[in-house]
Amino acid sequence: MSEITPTEELSQWLATLETALARADADAAAALFNEDSYWRDLVSFTWNIATAEGKPNVRAMIEQAAIPAKPTNWRLEGEASKSGDMTEGWIRFETAVARGYGYLRLTGGKAWTLLTTMTELKGFEEAKGTLRAKGVEHGVQPGRKTWLERRRQEEAELGVTRESYVVIVGGGQGGIALGARLKRLNVPTIIVEKNERPGDSWRKRYKSLCLHDPVWYDHLPYLPFPDHWPVFSPKDKIADWLEMYSKVMELDYWGGTECKSARYDDAAKQWTVEVLRNGKPMTLRPRHLVLATGMSAVPNLPEIPGMETFKGDLHHSSRHPGPDAYKGKKAVVIGSNNSAHDIAAALWELGADVTMIQRSSTHVARSDMLMDLALGGLYSESAVKAGITTDKADLLFASLPYKILPSLQVPVYAEMKKRDADFYARLEKAGFMLDFGDDDSGLFLKYLRRGSGYYIDVGASGLVADGKIKLKSGVAVERVKEHSVAFSDGSELPADLIVFATGYGSMNGWAAQLISKEVADKVGKCWGLGSDTRKDPGPWEGELRNMWKPTHQEALWFHGGNLHQSRHFSQFLSLQLKARMEGIPTPVYGMGPVHHVS
Amino acid sequence: MSEITPTEELSQWLATLETALARADADAAAALFNEDSYWRDLVSFTWNIATAEGKPNVRAMIEQAAIPAKPTNWRLEGEASKSGDMTEGWIRFETAVARGYGYLRLTGGKAWTLLTTMTELKGFEEAKGTLRAKGVEHGVQPGRKTWLERRRQEEAELGVTRESYVVIVGGGQGGIALGARLKRLNVPTIIVEKNERPGDSWRKRYKSLCLHDPVWYDHLPYLPFPDHWPVFSPKDKIADWLEMYSKVMELDYWGGTECKSARYDDAAKQWTVEVLRNGKPMTLRPRHLVLATGMSAVPNLPEIPGMETFKGDLHHSSRHPGPDAYKGKKAVVIGSNNSAHDIAAALWELGADVTMIQRSSTHVARSDMLMDLALGGLYSESAVKAGITTDKADLLFASLPYKILPSLQVPVYAEMKKRDADFYARLEKAGFMLDFGDDDSGLFLKYLRRGSGYYIDVGASGLVADGKIKLKSGVAVERVKEHSVAFSDGSELPADLIVFATGYGSMNGWAAQLISKEVADKVGKCWGLGSDTRKDPGPWEGELRNMWKPTHQEALWFHGGNLHQSRHFSQFLSLQLKARMEGIPTPVYGMGPVHHVS
């Protein structure tokens, strides 16, 4: 028997899968998977974001989602590659209603991981490339309107005399990325944002803020940053970009508009959304409501006895203006994650006397090391040079189900711990409590599980290690007095400024505020994987709760995350909304019960 | 003797050239060229935009420009290709001070065309890719400024307490594209524009205006349009793009600023530029002055007896507001090029009674046909799919010297004439006087030679053929009366509106206005090739006069053209300015005498 090439191996596997699915033979299709295997589907078969883990669950997904979707035309794109026992490659396929793209890994000739994602709905493709608008209709048409006249008419009518199909609450990068995708799909959408201009939610944060993620990870859909864009975008620069992007993508962006309430009419299948647009009450009646209020929308401000008696400035980190007013003052920063470090460092740079209060252990990873060890393979200049486009990087990352991610991350952080041993030793010597996650799986899993608990070091850790930022570790804040803060160990610190860098609550808290406690409880907690680690209670969910996928409240969606997630998952949320607008059946597979309400 | 591959053939040719140049052996180097050959150099050897035509001139350029520049490291990039007798491919090379890119065609083993272009100055590379700024300096620095603070400081200081190195007069696409390149090269530059906002020069034109060139031809440097951008950008949409581009590229763009005068101090090597910035007089003292006031900066408004007595609206096309006020009115549009057709069609669409006055024959090419036959190979969706990036398209186009362009264009337009025979027959039947250029070389050569004399048909020709836009052909305008226009054939037309779509004067007219008649005459006419065809008097120049290259007035430069030229040639102008700023020697080769003053 002659050796077959990796490309032949994958092609044959796909052909066998296609035959089995076409015959509706779930057993034969499932037989192509290992016992330990994963099929992750982003919308193409499940109309959900769902991962089937293990052969029995894969078989169930095949029977109940894949076969009914009538997939055809499975084929390899490009050449497959082989390394040891593993053969892998890019795949394309179609369903009755859509086209898809994915990534397949075989071990021992059977599937270990299969990623399937929807790229476009047949008959509703984005008007791009050869399908783009002509811009001017050649020939002459009496009474025709110019682009500007049509655009102005659209702006005047949408939400006023003509309802939008979608309302997105929140016009940060999440709302903007989703708005751009919906615009390209011709889904009428209004983005409601309480700040005046796109980008203001960045502009209004502390002045030293820069993105902690590198530029290759941060592109918005369709319009990548030019290649001189700084690695770590300063906040005002990313704000200007978001503003420019919203304008040239022709988003219907209602700045200066506050969402006051929303309620769903089950019979009419329609939301009633009350907003104040530049102070004027208006009612919007979209079919779908997306909360893109951000992971960082509902500040956690702990209630501490005596807070109201404090004579200095006291605020949550989301309201911290930056250090300018605090030169020579005494500052207490409560918290030890990203914001706490950024704010403390900027205060120290300006000459404030700063103490950081660390209440529990924190994961610290140096930014350079993260690039080298964790992100660089997919998101870096060398990845770009190796032909890994942003789209491909996103899909390669998505091709690793969350269940197996910790096992792949643990060695990365073990290496980081080794390379930066001196750095970590200095921090510990200064009294800083370190961790690498409950299972040593590091930063990205902390982000997925709880969205907190880490600092990406861009310099402040050195100040902590050197004692320039003073540290008080392992204590709780017991009381705020007129000019000081008192701690659980009996000590007390004088303070002119107290910053609570104490994080944010679950996004469904925003649903409780806008809609009702009942709806918030019905949909349950957002984010987190159910990993049964600190701040991420089980049971295991397999995917982030409620994000970018149907919730237990009809027509209510949550969108958010970092720029990478806003870019990548807006694709799948936009396709789900477009399909519903066009009346394409969207049977949802794999909708689990709600385990936690917040 | 075994056959050598095209790649080997080109590589050997380059090696032989390199050896000859290194030995300073001009004869040996020239021997590598055919008698009928062309070396076109964009700045890399000549510090000029110059084409040596024929072996003796190539030899002179080798001796006086190429050898002194000490080129090395000539090599083929990728694989060469062969078709018939011709072998061609991409090349890279270096000089003592710069890196270059180019394209080489051999016939019979010797060079037919060689294009060499400068891509970057050694030691002064753009901070892109791996060289990009980090955006945040990791580590902590007491007193450091944020991006926004530095940007605001730069805006406050430049031109006020700190002189810019360059002042660009005119903030249309030309000034903006050049400004972006100079920004990336760290050349302090102020763009002075009398309109308030970038893009206003488009916004203020007649409302139906769309670009006549397709999107693939129109990208600005660094930040291409997203792939849904319409093929023919409506004017307000391109205006918004220019505004956003200027913002995110951080251009120092002084809107609402009128340039009143400029004079050069030969001793101080410095300009004194008087401007009114938002009505306030200010003096700028740059080292270099770029006039980017546009090919369409100085309107030609003929003086016709009786103009001042006209009771209706009379204006040049550049001031035409669009048709809205003229429903049911009688309009006379004088001229038969792009603007005349656009304006006449929009007036007809709105219900005006329109007559077009054609004074001399006009070249008409249908937009679709231009895409199919003339542009599509380099600038189209299929070109993009074939891997022809915008940069490569620009260079392939540049690789064909202007001398041989007509012979390549004649068959294109012969084919167009054939395919659109019915269309042209209908136009002629309606009395429209057609031409395809003096030598039937068509549209692009008309554009290069005289910048006028054509209409890219997007529908108005059908209206002319059908008599919906009335036509009066082969007459001159003799007199304007209170309510009519009288013609050389004795006829007279009643008129409520007269639009003079009569084109624009040479850009050095702007130098006359701003600087002096002496300087304008010293530098001479801008644009045109000296083809000795109508409106392009000889002698032959080989390159466009005065554009993007040194002029006979030290430190005075002209920049302009369509979006393609603004993009492509801004690269070479920016490198010339950067080299001067850094004190790199820039010996100019091939500077010809001035033959025409306007």
Side-chain angles (χ1 to χ4, degrees), chain A residues 48 137 153 162 169 179 194 235 253 345 372 410 471 514:
Chain A
N48 197 353
E137 289 110 281
Q153 185 178 351
R162 187 164 63 86
V169 181
K194 67 176 189 304
K235 73 181 178 79
Y253 192 99
D372 281 359
V410 165
L471 181 68
L514 280 185

Side-chain angles (χ1 to χ4, degrees), chain A residues 78-232:
Chain A
E79 300 289 312
S81 66
K82 184 155 188 154
S83 166
D85 187 33
M86 194 182 301
T87 310
E88 52 195 311
W90 295 97
I91 63 168
R92 293 214 177 261
F93 60 93
E94 295 180 24
T95 67
V97 300
R99 292 182 195 89
Y101 196 38
Y103 200 79
L104 171 65
R105 290 185 187 87
L106 305 184
T107 54
K110 294 191 175 185
W112 176 48
T113 68
L114 173 59
L115 171 72
T116 50
T117 76
M118 186 185 288
T119 54
E120 60 186 1
L121 290 160
K122 293 179 185 174
F124 304 99
E125 295 81 2
E126 290 185 354
K128 66 182 177 183
T130 52
L131 300 175
R132 71 177 82 214
K134 205 140 184 193
V136 57
E137 289 110 281
H138 290 176
V140 280
Q141 300 156 20
R144 74 164 140 187
K145 293 199 159 66
T146 66
W147 170 83
L148 183 64
E149 287 165 339
R150 279 182 282 118
R151 182 77 191 110
R152 284 189 178 152
Q153 185 178 351
E154 186 182 25
E155 285 170 343
E157 289 177 358
L158 199 67
V160 179
T161 59
R162 187 164 63 86
E163 293 301 337
S164 69
Y165 186 73
V166 175
V167 164
I168 302 172
V169 181
Q173 63 260 21
I176 287 170
L178 179 61
R181 296 210 186 254
L182 290 170
K183 190 80 187 191
R184 296 239 301 195
L185 288 169
N186 284 315
V187 177
T189 301
I190 293 171
I191 301 171
V192 169
E193 166 61 45
K194 67 176 189 304
N195 288 305
E196 208 53 46
R197 293 152 57 203
D200 276 355
S201 52
W202 286 100
R203 289 190 189 93
K204 291 185 176 179
R205 297 203 64 195
Y206 54 89
K207 74 172 190 174
S208 65
L209 178 63
C210 291
L211 297 193
H212 288 76
D213 290 325
V215 61
W216 307 278
Y217 194 66
D218 299 333
H219 294 297
L220 290 174
Y222 313 126
L223 188 56
F225 299 110
D227 66 0
H228 69 281
W229 206 261
V231 178
F232 300 100

Side-chain angles (χ1 to χ4, degrees), chain A residues 39-50 61 64-72 74 91-103 114-121 395 571-573 575-576 579 584-589:
Chain A
W39 186 339
R40 187 179 197 201
D41 182 58
L42 308 183
V43 178
S44 51
F45 296 106
T46 57
W47 291 102
N48 197 353
I49 291 180
M61 195 200 267
Q64 294 164 50
I67 289 172
K70 303 196 185 310
T72 54
W74 294 86
I91 63 168
R92 293 214 177 261
F93 60 93
E94 295 180 24
T95 67
V97 300
R99 292 182 195 89
Y101 196 38
Y103 200 79
L114 173 59
L115 171 72
T116 50
T117 76
M118 186 185 288
T119 54
E120 60 186 1
L121 290 160
L395 289 170
Q571 177 182 330
F572 307 109
L573 180 46
L575 289 167
Q576 292 173 80
I584 295 169
T586 57
V588 176
Y589 174 80

Side-chain angles (χ1 to χ4, degrees), chain B residues 395-414:
Chain B
L395 290 170
L396 283 173
F397 188 75
S399 74
L400 299 166
Y402 292 138
K403 187 77 179 175
I404 56 183
L405 209 47
S407 66
L408 299 171
Q409 295 280 293
V410 165
V412 170
Y413 288 87

Side-chain angles (χ1 to χ4, degrees), chain A residues 139 149 207 227 237 250, chain B residues 149 184 207 237 250 458:
Chain A
E149 287 165 339
K207 74 172 190 174
D227 66 0
K237 192 163 171 67
E250 300 183 28
Chain B
E149 286 165 341
R184 295 239 302 196
K207 74 171 189 175
K237 193 164 170 67
E250 300 182 28
V458 293

Side-chain angles (χ1 to χ4, degrees), chain A residues 127-130 132-144 146-149 184 207-208 210 215-216 222-232 234 236-237 240-241 243-244 247-250 324 345 348-349 367-368 381 385 457-460 463, chain B residues 127-130 132-144 146-149 184 207-208 210 215-216 222-232 234 236-237 240-241 244-245 247-250 324 345 348-349 367-368 381 385 457-460 463:
Chain A
K128 66 182 177 183
T130 52
R132 71 177 82 214
K134 205 140 184 193
V136 57
E137 289 110 281
H138 290 176
V140 280
Q141 300 156 20
R144 74 164 140 187
T146 66
W147 170 83
L148 183 64
E149 287 165 339
R184 296 239 301 195
K207 74 172 190 174
S208 65
C210 291
V215 61
W216 307 278
Y222 313 126
L223 188 56
F225 299 110
D227 66 0
H228 69 281
W229 206 261
V231 178
F232 300 100
D236 295 284
K237 192 163 171 67
D240 285 351
W241 182 263
E243 186 173 6
M244 174 284 270
K247 176 89 179 175
V248 300
M249 298 304 286
E250 300 183 28
D324 293 351
W348 177 84
E349 280 188 358
S367 174
D368 292 349
E381 208 60 47
K385 282 205 176 118
D457 180 37
V458 292
L463 294 178
Chain B
K128 67 183 178 182
T130 51
R132 71 178 82 214
K134 204 139 185 194
V136 57
E137 290 109 281
H138 290 177
V140 280
Q141 300 158 21
R144 73 165 138 186
T146 66
W147 170 83
L148 183 64
E149 286 165 341
R184 295 239 302 196
K207 74 171 189 175
S208 65
C210 291
V215 59
W216 306 278
Y222 313 125
L223 188 57
F225 298 111
D227 65 359
H228 70 281
W229 206 261
V231 177
F232 300 100
D236 295 284
K237 193 164 170 67
D240 285 351
W241 182 263
M244 298 306 136
Y245 183 89
K247 175 87 180 177
V248 300
M249 299 304 286
E250 300 182 28
D324 293 352
W348 178 83
E349 280 188 357
S367 173
D368 292 349
E381 208 60 45
K385 284 207 174 113
D457 179 37
V458 293
L463 292 178

